[in-house]
């Protein structure tokens, strides 16, 4: 199996049956991500070196405006798309097999978890995986220790309060907070 074929299956929302060829390929891709993140997290790197390692992890160049404070963890890496002027703070964990898209100007706080896979509910098929993408709009701010689950879209300009668990889409310019996160107010556009 080739990487693009594997990513196409994930991005089409195809179930990955436990023990299948796709499942085994996923484990192979994970080993590359573990190698790169170990290098990224194992010593000090200049911002340029961080961008180079992150670009290697995701398989495409990130803009020179991209910033990341390690440590950073991913068990795939190859299904992440990052816009310009994005900053990811330390301790974040991205499970990106289902696809993570982060829009321009987004700020991701300490220890944020973005998870794009669910295990099957049936105990007999628990190793089967169901991918669903996370889409984070432009100028979104996700506070520290927030978790975003598979299939969620966060609209442009939204804020996710620290410690929230986002289980449903968040509209543009909304502030969402809580477990599960709920919209608590809307931001007024500044003049």
């Amino acid at each position: 199996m080739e990487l693009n074929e594997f990513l196409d299956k994930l991005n089409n929302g195809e179930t990955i049956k436990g023990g299948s060829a796709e499942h085994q390929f996923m484990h192979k891709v994970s080993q590359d991500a573990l190698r790169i993140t170990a290098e990224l997290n194992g010593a000090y790197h200049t911002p340029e070196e961080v961008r180079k390692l992150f670009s290697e992890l995701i398989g495409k160049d990130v803009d020179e405006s991209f910033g990341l404070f390690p440590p950073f963890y991913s068990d795939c890496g190859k299904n992440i798309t990052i816009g310009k002027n994005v900053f990811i703070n330390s301790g974040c964990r991205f499970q990106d097999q289902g696809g993570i898209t982060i829009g321009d100007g987004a700020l991701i706080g300490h220890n944020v978890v973005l998870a794009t896979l669910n295990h099957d509910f049936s105990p007999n098929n628990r190793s089967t995986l169901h991918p669903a993408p996370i889409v984070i709009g432009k100028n979104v701010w996700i506070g520290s220790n927030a978790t975003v689950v598979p299939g969620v879209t966060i609209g442009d300009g939204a804020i996710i309060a620290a410690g929230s668990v986002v289980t449903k889409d968040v509209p543009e310019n909304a502030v969402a907070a809580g477990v599960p996160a709920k919209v608590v107010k809307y931001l007024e556009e500044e003049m």
Side-chain angles (χ1 to χ4, degrees), residues 33-46 49-50 53 68-73:
L34 293 172
R35 177 188 58 78
I36 296 167
T37 56
E39 185 175 345
L40 175 67
N41 299 333
Y44 172 77
H45 297 285
T46 66
E49 292 168 335
V50 168
L53 285 164
L68 169 74
F69 286 175
F72 175 83
Y73 304 94

Side-chain angles (χ1 to χ4, degrees), residues 107-126:
L107 303 174
I108 312 296
H110 290 90
N111 303 315
V112 167
V113 174
L114 303 180
T116 65
L117 290 176
N118 270 324
H119 289 276
D120 201 86
F121 283 6
S122 168
N124 295 329
N125 296 316
R126 196 59 44 88

Side-chain angles (χ1 to χ4, degrees), residues 81-95:
T81 302
I82 301 283
K84 296 179 180 177
N85 296 305
V86 169
F87 177 71
I88 300 171
N89 220 323
S90 63
C92 291
R93 289 162 169 74
F94 288 12
Q95 180 197 51

Side-chain angles (χ1 to χ4, degrees), residues 15 102 187:
T15 296
I102 300 176
L187 303 169

Side-chain angles (χ1 to χ4, degrees), residues 123-191:
N124 295 329
N125 296 316
R126 196 59 44 88
S127 63
T128 293
L129 301 166
H130 303 281
I134 292 173
V135 178
I136 298 169
K138 295 178 181 177
N139 301 312
V140 168
W141 173 22
I142 301 179
S144 296
N145 296 303
T147 297
V148 182
V149 302
V152 168
T153 295
I154 300 172
D156 294 348
I159 297 173
I160 306 302
S164 296
V165 177
V166 185
T167 61
K168 296 181 180 177
D169 291 353
V170 176
E172 290 185 7
N173 299 313
V175 178
V179 179
K182 295 182 181 354
V183 173
V184 295
K185 73 181 209 176
Y186 286 88
L187 303 169
E188 294 185 33
E189 200 159 322
E190 293 183 22
M191 301 283 192

